[in-house]
Amino acid sequence: MSSTNPRRAGIRGIATHLPEHVYDNAALARDFPGLDPEKVLATVGIARRTIAAPDEFASDLACDAARSLFATCGCSPGDVDYVIFCSQSPDYPLPPTACLIQAKLGLPTHCGAIDVNLGCSGYIYALGLAAALIESGQIDCALVLTADTLSKFLAADDASVRTIFGDGAAATLVTHGHDAVFGELGPWCYGTDGRGGPHLIVRDGLRGSSETPSTSYRSAAGSDRFGQPIRMHGAEVFAFTLKAVPALVEELLQAASLGPTDVDLFIFHQANRMMLDTLRKRLKIPEDRFVYHLEDQGNTCSASVPLALAHAIASGRFQRGMTAALVGYGVGYSWGATLLRWQVPAGSEGVHGSDI
Amino acid sequence: MAPTFDDFVTRLARIVEEEVSALTPDRELLSVPLWDSLAIVTFMAVASETYDRLVEPERIAAAKTVGDLFTVIESESAS
């Protein structure tokens, strides 16, 4: 776990992008007269959800995030030698959205490009792949894009999902050595239980459409879609989370030989306020070391952890010398966690009493 | 804390916005207008936070009355 390992992977920069259109609680209450906007805010912790335009898709959001990353972190498309696009709502079944993004962003043609088909846990998995490619010497610089437009899959008349989900994207540059501004990544903990698949599902695709006839439905994105909307069994997902996530966090701390108080900031997938509160209390994490970042955009699936991390960096909650736990969980079921240690510059270790 | 019926029903009343006196053990859950998917998830959160118990959704779904729901909570062991 030495920070002197020149190939140790870390994060150089993060940028985000949210669509302009917003679906707020007043609009929600107009569509669903039984819903009380105040109660929605108090329980799910969301005031408004950012929703992609009918002609705006996950690759558009991802590319906008990537362009703002290039504009702010002192790197250019030519520096990227691998792009990982992680989403549950890719532009097409094929080709891979990552390949289209290579062309849209003008990344070099010697650049590798793959899609990762994961949602709420996806940021951890995409970072893990990027870190492994870098630390094994295969590549030097990975662009990790996490972007989702779940609004396309939300039936306009399904309050249980429209209350929660928003669209968004984040771009993270993963590199190594002195280029890694925001510090080192790892250890890595992963988990999967596919028995939970049916509890958060879009019954589309080859098997889905053969089992469940496609229908036309009005989506939350404001357009008609032929297929199946997302179906969520909230109680089942909640029960899974209460079991899996505390065990995941304990496993991560053990793998890093840390105690709970050694982590300065816990950044969980921003599912909804009630779930985050319940997890935080089960894990006995004080509120000042726990991030809530969903009020203004909702649960953005694969983009939620990096959106929360970027906000923690921008607002000064995550600072040099700190360790953050990144924890993802959800659709699959799939879960994963890692640590991000924002190292103190060489020569100033004593000042901060660093253990990294 | 260990669940008592009085404490449980006070918390349930808050979730479904009803009077405690209206939530008798034989009250059918189907007759409680606000006993919906959000209420079920809120109930699971309360069970975790207050009683340190993880309740399986299918056991909640199988509960027909307020009394059944209390039995579900009472019979789970603290986690």
Side-chain angles (χ1 to χ4, degrees):
Chain A
M1 196 85 64
S2 162
S3 58
T4 55
N5 174 1
R7 290 214 70 87
R8 178 94 181 159
I11 292 178
R12 170 155 168 185
I14 306 176
T16 62
H17 180 78
L18 297 171
E20 273 175 38
H21 177 68
V22 161
Y23 184 62
D24 64 14
N25 286 355
L28 188 73
R30 276 196 297 277
D31 289 343
F32 304 96
L35 286 182
D36 171 3
E38 306 277 310
K39 194 174 168 188
V40 168
L41 182 60
T43 51
V44 302
I46 298 167
R48 53 197 72 81
R49 301 125 199 100
T50 44
I51 305 292
D55 61 351
E56 191 174 36
F57 296 91
S59 73
D60 301 314
L61 302 183
C63 286
D64 281 339
R67 289 186 193 104
S68 100
L69 179 69
F70 294 136
T72 54
C73 89
C75 60
S76 69
D79 298 329
V80 175
D81 45 19
Y82 211 96
V83 57
I84 298 174
F85 173 77
C86 174
S87 180
Q88 288 288 277
S89 42
D91 289 18
Y92 301 99
L94 65 116
T97 306
C99 295
L100 305 177
I101 287 174
Q102 177 273 328
K104 280 173 89 162
L105 288 176
L107 303 178
T109 51
H110 63 72
C111 177
I114 57 166
D115 282 10
V116 171
N117 181 7
L118 280 173
C120 319
S121 63
Y123 188 59
I124 316 303
Y125 282 80
L127 285 180
L129 288 170
L133 288 166
I134 287 166
E135 290 175 1
S136 64
Q138 292 186 54
I139 63 167
D140 287 313
C141 178
L143 176 62
V144 171
L145 302 172
T146 44
D148 266 300
T149 57
L150 284 197
S151 67
K152 315 283 185 192
F153 289 132
L154 309 183
D157 60 0
D158 184 349
S160 72
V161 290
R162 291 200 73 191
T163 311
I164 291 174
F165 292 110
D167 300 333
T172 305
L173 204 71
V174 183
T175 178
H176 60 84
H178 296 301
D179 280 349
V181 178
F182 294 116
E184 303 170 352
L185 291 158
W188 305 90
C189 299
Y190 303 116
T192 309
D193 185 352
R195 289 173 300 177
H199 297 311
L200 186 49
I201 191 166
V202 175
R203 293 189 184 278
D204 263 358
L206 300 179
R207 182 177 294 273
S209 55
S210 77
E211 290 169 346
T212 313
S214 296
T215 54
S216 187
Y217 67 92
R218 165 65 45 154
S219 81
S223 49
D224 289 320
R225 203 182 153 264
F226 190 68
Q228 283 289 326
I230 204 164
R231 297 291 179 208
M232 181 178 72
H233 194 318
E236 290 288 352
V237 177
F238 194 51
F240 143 71
T241 302
L242 292 188
K243 275 187 225 154
V245 176
L248 172 65
V249 171
E250 278 164 30
E251 186 192 340
L252 178 68
L253 294 175
Q254 265 184 13
S257 304
L258 294 180
T261 55
D262 297 324
V263 174
D264 301 292
L265 207 57
F266 287 87
I267 304 177
F268 281 29
H269 163 58
Q270 303 288 302
N272 64 70
R273 174 93 199 189
M274 188 161 50
M275 192 182 280
L276 289 168
D277 277 341
T278 309
L279 288 171
R280 184 179 67 75
K281 288 170 186 166
R282 282 200 82 79
L283 282 159
K284 301 186 171 59
I285 301 169
E287 212 162 330
D288 64 351
R289 289 196 284 122
F290 195 84
V291 171
Y292 293 94
H293 184 61
L294 71 172
E295 184 168 338
D296 292 325
Q297 69 279 334
N299 172 342
T300 55
C301 198
S302 66
S304 89
V305 172
L307 278 168
L309 172 59
H311 185 260
I313 292 167
S315 64
R317 277 191 82 186
F318 185 50
Q319 299 176 0
R320 196 172 287 283
M322 285 186 172
T323 296
L326 310 181
V327 180
Y329 50 88
V331 61
Y333 301 137
S334 166
W335 57 97
T338 191
L339 292 177
L340 176 61
R341 299 162 191 249
W342 191 349
Q343 64 274 60
V344 174
S348 58
E349 285 86 349
V351 179
H352 296 269
S354 172
D355 60 350
I356 51 179
Chain B
M1 65 190 265
T4 63
F5 185 78
D6 283 354
D7 181 71
F8 153 83
V9 85
T10 305
R11 293 173 196 281
L12 182 64
R14 221 173 287 150
I15 296 171
V16 297
E17 299 173 23
E18 294 225 8
E19 296 295 326
V20 169
S21 57
L23 297 175
T24 54
D26 58 355
R27 172 85 183 269
E28 298 264 344
L29 287 166
L30 278 176
S31 74
V32 179
L34 287 184
W35 182 246
D36 57 10
S37 61
L38 180 61
I40 290 172
V41 174
T42 309
F43 178 76
M44 291 168 67
V46 168
S48 160
E49 202 175 316
T50 312
Y51 309 125
D52 195 25
R53 286 164 202 226
L54 300 183
V55 187
E56 292 296 336
E58 61 259 37
R59 296 197 64 205
I60 298 177
K64 298 260 186 298
T65 64
V66 168
D68 292 346
L69 198 57
F70 177 64
T71 308
V72 169
I73 287 271
E74 204 183 15
S75 61
E76 290 283 347
S77 50
S79 55

PDB file of all heavy atoms in Angstrom, chain B residues 16-41:
ATOM      1  N   VAL B  16     -48.597   5.884   8.869  1.00  0.00           N
ATOM      2  CA  VAL B  16     -49.800   5.851   8.028  1.00  0.00           C
ATOM      3  C   VAL B  16     -50.770   6.989   8.351  1.00  0.00           C
ATOM      4  O   VAL B  16     -51.881   7.048   7.800  1.00  0.00           O
ATOM      5  CB  VAL B  16     -50.534   4.479   8.131  1.00  0.00           C
ATOM      6  CG1 VAL B  16     -49.631   3.377   7.604  1.00  0.00           C
ATOM      7  CG2 VAL B  16     -50.988   4.186   9.550  1.00  0.00           C
ATOM      8  N   GLU B  17     -50.325   7.911   9.219  1.00  0.00           N
ATOM      9  CA  GLU B  17     -51.103   9.112   9.552  1.00  0.00           C
ATOM     10  C   GLU B  17     -52.518   8.769  10.015  1.00  0.00           C
ATOM     11  O   GLU B  17     -53.508   9.280   9.484  1.00  0.00           O
ATOM     12  CB  GLU B  17     -51.117  10.081   8.354  1.00  0.00           C
ATOM     13  CG  GLU B  17     -49.718  10.555   7.982  1.00  0.00           C
ATOM     14  CD  GLU B  17     -49.688  11.386   6.695  1.00  0.00           C
ATOM     15  OE1 GLU B  17     -50.718  11.959   6.331  1.00  0.00           O
ATOM     16  OE2 GLU B  17     -48.601  11.457   6.078  1.00  0.00           O
ATOM     17  N   GLU B  18     -52.592   7.867  11.012  1.00  0.00           N
ATOM     18  CA  GLU B  18     -53.884   7.516  11.607  1.00  0.00           C
ATOM     19  C   GLU B  18     -53.776   7.656  13.121  1.00  0.00           C
ATOM     20  O   GLU B  18     -52.674   7.720  13.674  1.00  0.00           O
ATOM     21  CB  GLU B  18     -54.252   6.063  11.254  1.00  0.00           C
ATOM     22  CG  GLU B  18     -54.501   5.865   9.777  1.00  0.00           C
ATOM     23  CD  GLU B  18     -55.748   5.031   9.493  1.00  0.00           C
ATOM     24  OE1 GLU B  18     -56.511   4.722  10.435  1.00  0.00           O
ATOM     25  OE2 GLU B  18     -55.950   4.700   8.311  1.00  0.00           O
ATOM     26  N   GLU B  19     -54.930   7.676  13.785  1.00  0.00           N
ATOM     27  CA  GLU B  19     -54.947   7.679  15.251  1.00  0.00           C
ATOM     28  C   GLU B  19     -54.504   6.309  15.756  1.00  0.00           C
ATOM     29  O   GLU B  19     -54.843   5.281  15.160  1.00  0.00           O
ATOM     30  CB  GLU B  19     -56.368   7.958  15.766  1.00  0.00           C
ATOM     31  CG  GLU B  19     -56.911   9.331  15.411  1.00  0.00           C
ATOM     32  CD  GLU B  19     -56.124  10.464  16.068  1.00  0.00           C
ATOM     33  OE1 GLU B  19     -55.631  10.283  17.204  1.00  0.00           O
ATOM     34  OE2 GLU B  19     -55.966  11.523  15.421  1.00  0.00           O
ATOM     35  N   VAL B  20     -53.771   6.321  16.871  1.00  0.00           N
ATOM     36  CA  VAL B  20     -53.336   5.061  17.486  1.00  0.00           C
ATOM     37  C   VAL B  20     -54.553   4.179  17.784  1.00  0.00           C
ATOM     38  O   VAL B  20     -54.539   2.962  17.551  1.00  0.00           O
ATOM     39  CB  VAL B  20     -52.540   5.353  18.780  1.00  0.00           C
ATOM     40  CG1 VAL B  20     -52.313   4.067  19.578  1.00  0.00           C
ATOM     41  CG2 VAL B  20     -51.209   6.011  18.440  1.00  0.00           C
ATOM     42  N   SER B  21     -55.632   4.813  18.255  1.00  0.00           N
ATOM     43  CA  SER B  21     -56.819   4.043  18.662  1.00  0.00           C
ATOM     44  C   SER B  21     -57.479   3.334  17.479  1.00  0.00           C
ATOM     45  O   SER B  21     -58.202   2.356  17.655  1.00  0.00           O
ATOM     46  CB  SER B  21     -57.829   4.970  19.335  1.00  0.00           C
ATOM     47  OG  SER B  21     -58.152   6.021  18.438  1.00  0.00           O
ATOM     48  N   ALA B  22     -57.212   3.820  16.259  1.00  0.00           N
ATOM     49  CA  ALA B  22     -57.814   3.197  15.075  1.00  0.00           C
ATOM     50  C   ALA B  22     -57.051   1.950  14.638  1.00  0.00           C
ATOM     51  O   ALA B  22     -57.547   1.149  13.859  1.00  0.00           O
ATOM     52  CB  ALA B  22     -57.860   4.197  13.923  1.00  0.00           C
ATOM     53  N   LEU B  23     -55.826   1.802  15.147  1.00  0.00           N
ATOM     54  CA  LEU B  23     -54.979   0.678  14.706  1.00  0.00           C
ATOM     55  C   LEU B  23     -55.034  -0.458  15.734  1.00  0.00           C
ATOM     56  O   LEU B  23     -54.056  -0.774  16.401  1.00  0.00           O
ATOM     57  CB  LEU B  23     -53.549   1.161  14.469  1.00  0.00           C
ATOM     58  CG  LEU B  23     -53.388   2.213  13.355  1.00  0.00           C
ATOM     59  CD1 LEU B  23     -51.951   2.715  13.289  1.00  0.00           C
ATOM     60  CD2 LEU B  23     -53.799   1.654  11.993  1.00  0.00           C
ATOM     61  N   THR B  24     -56.192  -1.060  15.845  1.00  0.00           N
ATOM     62  CA  THR B  24     -56.368  -2.198  16.752  1.00  0.00           C
ATOM     63  C   THR B  24     -55.706  -3.428  16.136  1.00  0.00           C
ATOM     64  O   THR B  24     -55.498  -3.478  14.914  1.00  0.00           O
ATOM     65  CB  THR B  24     -57.869  -2.472  16.952  1.00  0.00           C
ATOM     66  OG1 THR B  24     -58.460  -2.628  15.651  1.00  0.00           O
ATOM     67  CG2 THR B  24     -58.539  -1.325  17.683  1.00  0.00           C
ATOM     68  N   PRO B  25     -55.383  -4.439  16.945  1.00  0.00           N
ATOM     69  CA  PRO B  25     -54.695  -5.631  16.399  1.00  0.00           C
ATOM     70  C   PRO B  25     -55.458  -6.297  15.261  1.00  0.00           C
ATOM     71  O   PRO B  25     -54.837  -6.858  14.355  1.00  0.00           O
ATOM     72  CB  PRO B  25     -54.594  -6.565  17.613  1.00  0.00           C
ATOM     73  CG  PRO B  25     -54.614  -5.656  18.797  1.00  0.00           C
ATOM     74  CD  PRO B  25     -55.505  -4.510  18.424  1.00  0.00           C
ATOM     75  N   ASP B  26     -56.793  -6.226  15.272  1.00  0.00           N
ATOM     76  CA  ASP B  26     -57.532  -6.926  14.207  1.00  0.00           C
ATOM     77  C   ASP B  26     -57.836  -6.023  13.002  1.00  0.00           C
ATOM     78  O   ASP B  26     -58.518  -6.441  12.071  1.00  0.00           O
ATOM     79  CB  ASP B  26     -58.834  -7.544  14.762  1.00  0.00           C
ATOM     80  CG  ASP B  26     -59.723  -6.481  15.392  1.00  0.00           C
ATOM     81  OD1 ASP B  26     -59.280  -5.306  15.472  1.00  0.00           O
ATOM     82  OD2 ASP B  26     -60.850  -6.822  15.808  1.00  0.00           O
ATOM     83  N   ARG B  27     -57.321  -4.794  13.010  1.00  0.00           N
ATOM     84  CA  ARG B  27     -57.539  -3.886  11.859  1.00  0.00           C
ATOM     85  C   ARG B  27     -56.835  -4.446  10.617  1.00  0.00           C
ATOM     86  O   ARG B  27     -55.634  -4.745  10.636  1.00  0.00           O
ATOM     87  CB  ARG B  27     -56.980  -2.496  12.199  1.00  0.00           C
ATOM     88  CG  ARG B  27     -56.945  -1.494  11.042  1.00  0.00           C
ATOM     89  CD  ARG B  27     -58.254  -0.767  10.867  1.00  0.00           C
ATOM     90  NE  ARG B  27     -58.226   0.140   9.723  1.00  0.00           N
ATOM     91  CZ  ARG B  27     -57.858   1.426   9.779  1.00  0.00           C
ATOM     92  NH1 ARG B  27     -57.496   1.959  10.938  1.00  0.00           N
ATOM     93  NH2 ARG B  27     -57.879   2.176   8.689  1.00  0.00           N
ATOM     94  N   GLU B  28     -57.611  -4.588   9.546  1.00  0.00           N
ATOM     95  CA  GLU B  28     -57.046  -5.098   8.288  1.00  0.00           C
ATOM     96  C   GLU B  28     -56.109  -4.048   7.684  1.00  0.00           C
ATOM     97  O   GLU B  28     -56.504  -2.881   7.547  1.00  0.00           O
ATOM     98  CB  GLU B  28     -58.185  -5.372   7.281  1.00  0.00           C
ATOM     99  CG  GLU B  28     -59.183  -6.418   7.724  1.00  0.00           C
ATOM    100  CD  GLU B  28     -58.860  -7.787   7.165  1.00  0.00           C
ATOM    101  OE1 GLU B  28     -58.061  -7.874   6.204  1.00  0.00           O
ATOM    102  OE2 GLU B  28     -59.409  -8.778   7.693  1.00  0.00           O
ATOM    103  N   LEU B  29     -54.912  -4.444   7.294  1.00  0.00           N
ATOM    104  CA  LEU B  29     -53.965  -3.487   6.702  1.00  0.00           C
ATOM    105  C   LEU B  29     -54.494  -2.932   5.374  1.00  0.00           C
ATOM    106  O   LEU B  29     -54.230  -1.785   5.016  1.00  0.00           O
ATOM    107  CB  LEU B  29     -52.600  -4.146   6.510  1.00  0.00           C
ATOM    108  CG  LEU B  29     -51.825  -4.377   7.817  1.00  0.00           C
ATOM    109  CD1 LEU B  29     -50.656  -5.329   7.579  1.00  0.00           C
ATOM    110  CD2 LEU B  29     -51.317  -3.066   8.411  1.00  0.00           C
ATOM    111  N   LEU B  30     -55.251  -3.766   4.658  1.00  0.00           N
ATOM    112  CA  LEU B  30     -55.814  -3.309   3.372  1.00  0.00           C
ATOM    113  C   LEU B  30     -56.765  -2.129   3.547  1.00  0.00           C
ATOM    114  O   LEU B  30     -57.010  -1.375   2.607  1.00  0.00           O
ATOM    115  CB  LEU B  30     -56.552  -4.463   2.680  1.00  0.00           C
ATOM    116  CG  LEU B  30     -55.690  -5.448   1.893  1.00  0.00           C
ATOM    117  CD1 LEU B  30     -56.551  -6.585   1.350  1.00  0.00           C
ATOM    118  CD2 LEU B  30     -54.967  -4.746   0.741  1.00  0.00           C
ATOM    119  N   SER B  31     -57.299  -1.982   4.768  1.00  0.00           N
ATOM    120  CA  SER B  31     -58.240  -0.883   5.012  1.00  0.00           C
ATOM    121  C   SER B  31     -57.531   0.394   5.467  1.00  0.00           C
ATOM    122  O   SER B  31     -58.174   1.398   5.753  1.00  0.00           O
ATOM    123  CB  SER B  31     -59.271  -1.302   6.066  1.00  0.00           C
ATOM    124  OG  SER B  31     -58.662  -1.307   7.354  1.00  0.00           O
ATOM    125  N   VAL B  32     -56.192   0.336   5.532  1.00  0.00           N
ATOM    126  CA  VAL B  32     -55.414   1.524   5.920  1.00  0.00           C
ATOM    127  C   VAL B  32     -54.951   2.216   4.633  1.00  0.00           C
ATOM    128  O   VAL B  32     -54.077   1.704   3.931  1.00  0.00           O
ATOM    129  CB  VAL B  32     -54.191   1.132   6.787  1.00  0.00           C
ATOM    130  CG1 VAL B  32     -53.379   2.365   7.166  1.00  0.00           C
ATOM    131  CG2 VAL B  32     -54.636   0.365   8.028  1.00  0.00           C
ATOM    132  N   PRO B  33     -55.557   3.374   4.301  1.00  0.00           N
ATOM    133  CA  PRO B  33     -55.285   3.984   2.984  1.00  0.00           C
ATOM    134  C   PRO B  33     -53.803   4.245   2.722  1.00  0.00           C
ATOM    135  O   PRO B  33     -53.337   4.048   1.605  1.00  0.00           O
ATOM    136  CB  PRO B  33     -56.071   5.302   3.033  1.00  0.00           C
ATOM    137  CG  PRO B  33     -57.112   5.102   4.081  1.00  0.00           C
ATOM    138  CD  PRO B  33     -56.531   4.153   5.082  1.00  0.00           C
ATOM    139  N   LEU B  34     -53.062   4.685   3.722  1.00  0.00           N
ATOM    140  CA  LEU B  34     -51.670   5.055   3.475  1.00  0.00           C
ATOM    141  C   LEU B  34     -50.676   3.904   3.685  1.00  0.00           C
ATOM    142  O   LEU B  34     -49.468   4.122   3.709  1.00  0.00           O
ATOM    143  CB  LEU B  34     -51.279   6.266   4.326  1.00  0.00           C
ATOM    144  CG  LEU B  34     -51.876   7.610   3.881  1.00  0.00           C
ATOM    145  CD1 LEU B  34     -51.348   8.746   4.732  1.00  0.00           C
ATOM    146  CD2 LEU B  34     -51.580   7.905   2.414  1.00  0.00           C
ATOM    147  N   TRP B  35     -51.193   2.688   3.880  1.00  0.00           N
ATOM    148  CA  TRP B  35     -50.292   1.522   3.961  1.00  0.00           C
ATOM    149  C   TRP B  35     -49.911   1.126   2.537  1.00  0.00           C
ATOM    150  O   TRP B  35     -50.463   0.224   1.927  1.00  0.00           O
ATOM    151  CB  TRP B  35     -50.949   0.371   4.723  1.00  0.00           C
ATOM    152  CG  TRP B  35     -50.064  -0.841   4.881  1.00  0.00           C
ATOM    153  CD1 TRP B  35     -50.259  -2.070   4.326  1.00  0.00           C
ATOM    154  CD2 TRP B  35     -48.839  -0.934   5.635  1.00  0.00           C
ATOM    155  NE1 TRP B  35     -49.230  -2.924   4.676  1.00  0.00           N
ATOM    156  CE2 TRP B  35     -48.345  -2.248   5.474  1.00  0.00           C
ATOM    157  CE3 TRP B  35     -48.108  -0.037   6.406  1.00  0.00           C
ATOM    158  CZ2 TRP B  35     -47.151  -2.689   6.073  1.00  0.00           C
ATOM    159  CZ3 TRP B  35     -46.928  -0.479   7.006  1.00  0.00           C
ATOM    160  CH2 TRP B  35     -46.469  -1.780   6.836  1.00  0.00           C
ATOM    161  N   ASP B  36     -48.932   1.865   1.970  1.00  0.00           N
ATOM    162  CA  ASP B  36     -48.525   1.659   0.582  1.00  0.00           C
ATOM    163  C   ASP B  36     -47.035   1.286   0.536  1.00  0.00           C
ATOM    164  O   ASP B  36     -46.423   1.026   1.575  1.00  0.00           O
ATOM    165  CB  ASP B  36     -48.816   2.913  -0.254  1.00  0.00           C
ATOM    166  CG  ASP B  36     -48.127   4.157   0.319  1.00  0.00           C
ATOM    167  OD1 ASP B  36     -47.280   4.027   1.236  1.00  0.00           O
ATOM    168  OD2 ASP B  36     -48.437   5.263  -0.157  1.00  0.00           O
ATOM    169  N   SER B  37     -46.475   1.271  -0.663  1.00  0.00           N
ATOM    170  CA  SER B  37     -45.084   0.810  -0.789  1.00  0.00           C
ATOM    171  C   SER B  37     -44.113   1.711  -0.028  1.00  0.00           C
ATOM    172  O   SER B  37     -43.157   1.228   0.584  1.00  0.00           O
ATOM    173  CB  SER B  37     -44.690   0.711  -2.267  1.00  0.00           C
ATOM    174  OG  SER B  37     -44.790   1.974  -2.883  1.00  0.00           O
ATOM    175  N   LEU B  38     -44.391   3.017  -0.013  1.00  0.00           N
ATOM    176  CA  LEU B  38     -43.512   3.923   0.734  1.00  0.00           C
ATOM    177  C   LEU B  38     -43.636   3.662   2.233  1.00  0.00           C
ATOM    178  O   LEU B  38     -42.639   3.659   2.965  1.00  0.00           O
ATOM    179  CB  LEU B  38     -43.851   5.388   0.407  1.00  0.00           C
ATOM    180  CG  LEU B  38     -42.990   6.429   1.121  1.00  0.00           C
ATOM    181  CD1 LEU B  38     -41.511   6.273   0.748  1.00  0.00           C
ATOM    182  CD2 LEU B  38     -43.455   7.849   0.802  1.00  0.00           C
ATOM    183  N   ALA B  39     -44.883   3.396   2.698  1.00  0.00           N
ATOM    184  CA  ALA B  39     -45.096   3.107   4.118  1.00  0.00           C
ATOM    185  C   ALA B  39     -44.364   1.825   4.521  1.00  0.00           C
ATOM    186  O   ALA B  39     -43.787   1.739   5.613  1.00  0.00           O
ATOM    187  CB  ALA B  39     -46.589   2.986   4.404  1.00  0.00           C
ATOM    188  N   ILE B  40     -44.370   0.822   3.635  1.00  0.00           N
ATOM    189  CA  ILE B  40     -43.708  -0.449   3.942  1.00  0.00           C
ATOM    190  C   ILE B  40     -42.203  -0.226   4.111  1.00  0.00           C
ATOM    191  O   ILE B  40     -41.585  -0.722   5.063  1.00  0.00           O
ATOM    192  CB  ILE B  40     -44.014  -1.501   2.850  1.00  0.00           C
ATOM    193  CG1 ILE B  40     -45.486  -1.919   2.956  1.00  0.00           C
ATOM    194  CG2 ILE B  40     -43.088  -2.699   2.963  1.00  0.00           C
ATOM    195  CD1 ILE B  40     -45.975  -2.801   1.830  1.00  0.00           C
ATOM    196  N   VAL B  41     -41.628   0.537   3.199  1.00  0.00           N
ATOM    197  CA  VAL B  41     -40.192   0.803   3.288  1.00  0.00           C
ATOM    198  C   VAL B  41     -39.883   1.641   4.543  1.00  0.00           C
ATOM    199  O   VAL B  41     -38.905   1.389   5.245  1.00  0.00           O
ATOM    200  CB  VAL B  41     -39.696   1.497   1.992  1.00  0.00           C
ATOM    201  CG1 VAL B  41     -38.253   1.903   2.123  1.00  0.00           C
ATOM    202  CG2 VAL B  41     -39.871   0.569   0.797  1.00  0.00           C
TER     203      VAL B  41
END
